[in-house]
Amino acid sequence: MRVQVKAFAGFREILGPDIALELPEGSTLTGLLEGLGRRSPGIQKALFDDQGMPLKSVIIMVNKKRQTRAEFGSRELHDGDEVAIYPPVAGG
Amino acid sequence: MLTDSERERYSRQILLFGEEGQERLKLSKVFIAGVGGLGCPAAAYLAAAGVGHLVIADCDAVDRTNLNRQILHHEADIGRPKVLSAGEKIRSMNPDIEVELLVVTISESNASILVSGCDLVVDALDTFIDRYAINRAAIRNNIPYIHGAVSGFDGHMATIIPGETACLECMVPEAPPRSVFPVVGTTPGLIGVLQAHEAIKQITGQGEPLTNQLVLWDGKASQFTMIRVERDPDCPACGGDSRASGRRREI
């Protein structure tokens, strides 16, 4: 199946704005994030803390609906899903 | 009741929402937390629109590095308190409104007192810790709260109605790391004006508020994206029994 990853703000700067991923059927959101993290240390650091837990400050959305960290492991992805990743900006 | 001069000044928007809407603006008191990149355009447009009473709070003085984006502050204002610099420009822009200036550091301990009695809060701060304090203060005082934040070419904003919609901590439960952020002036210009726009809608009862969603501005693609967010029943700031208690939880 094919899932689109849309990156915003700081995450867009390290991943690029938009990439398509081929994932095995039954893949979860956790699997997708871990796969992205394996691409580079910079991506890993942008998504996970030192213990390998997804950062709470990063907003992860599937089809424009925010997912809580507790849902990542059980959130199965489907062909055509769009996963958006937004590390919130904080300046004013 | 509007004066003849006010009817003339606001004639183009009275065509939109009538004298009744204009009177609502005149009678409203809006708290602007911070008068930097977001607060300058937000304050300027709210003043121009005729919000009758603006309270502007900021603890900083104008620095030369502010001038690429903080459009109410000019070269001659460097070193002056930002609220004095902004207040002077706003009074010159619209002498009919009341402008209250507070040189104050907004924190958990004073936020609730500061916003008490206001009809709406515009969050133009630059750290999430201070924003969480204002978010909770708005919830405690039941005041609509317009959140905005920027960095670089990117920004986001949201409207929060306490007790009804997702609050800031439902949307962003943990503060992003603090850093000196790069920024081009048009980014806070855009988000700050959008905050003022949502404030005017909220006060005059026009249109639909941008609640339960985070509006992302991707300034490199020049695109807005709306993200649906839901109220978190376990939110330490707005949820159930733990309302504004200060308890944090794992998500």
Side-chain angles (χ1 to χ4, degrees), chain A residues 44-76:
Chain A
Q44 174 73 20
K45 194 161 180 264
L47 293 176
F48 297 95
D49 65 18
D50 293 343
Q51 280 73 50
M53 291 291 286
L55 288 170
K56 279 196 279 185
S57 61
V58 177
I59 294 177
I60 309 282
M61 296 145 287
V62 177
N63 301 331
K64 296 189 179 169
K65 184 172 186 311
R66 182 173 155 242
Q67 310 291 305
T68 63
R69 200 164 68 159
E71 294 168 328
F72 291 178
S74 58
R75 181 63 165 90
E76 273 195 30

Side-chain angles (χ1 to χ4, degrees), chain B residues 142-158:
Chain B
N142 201 27
I143 301 170
Y145 161 55
I146 318 276
H147 163 67
V150 292
S151 181
F153 286 94
D154 304 291
H156 71 248
M157 63 91 43

Side-chain angles (χ1 to χ4, degrees), chain B residues 170-229:
Chain B
C170 298
M171 297 181 198
V172 185
E174 182 163 285
R178 194 175 178 180
S179 61
V180 174
F181 60 98
V183 64
V184 61
T186 47
T187 307
L190 200 95
I191 299 295
V193 170
L194 198 51
Q195 288 179 279
H197 174 76
E198 290 305 310
I200 291 166
K201 278 168 57 185
Q202 184 67 29
I203 293 164
T204 57
Q206 297 287 307
E208 296 298 321
L210 281 171
T211 51
N212 291 321
Q213 52 195 320
L214 200 56
V215 182
L216 301 193
W217 166 244
D218 177 339
K220 283 201 169 169
S222 288
Q223 280 180 356
F224 284 106
T225 300
M226 319 293 255
I227 297 165
R228 294 194 305 277
V229 282

Side-chain angles (χ1 to χ4, degrees), chain B residues 16-39:
Chain B
L16 279 176
F17 39 69
E19 287 200 17
E20 189 201 339
Q22 193 60 50
E23 279 166 9
R24 282 196 204 178
L25 286 170
K26 183 177 178 175
L27 293 172
S28 65
K29 183 175 178 182
V30 173
F31 187 90
I32 299 176
V35 70
L38 294 168

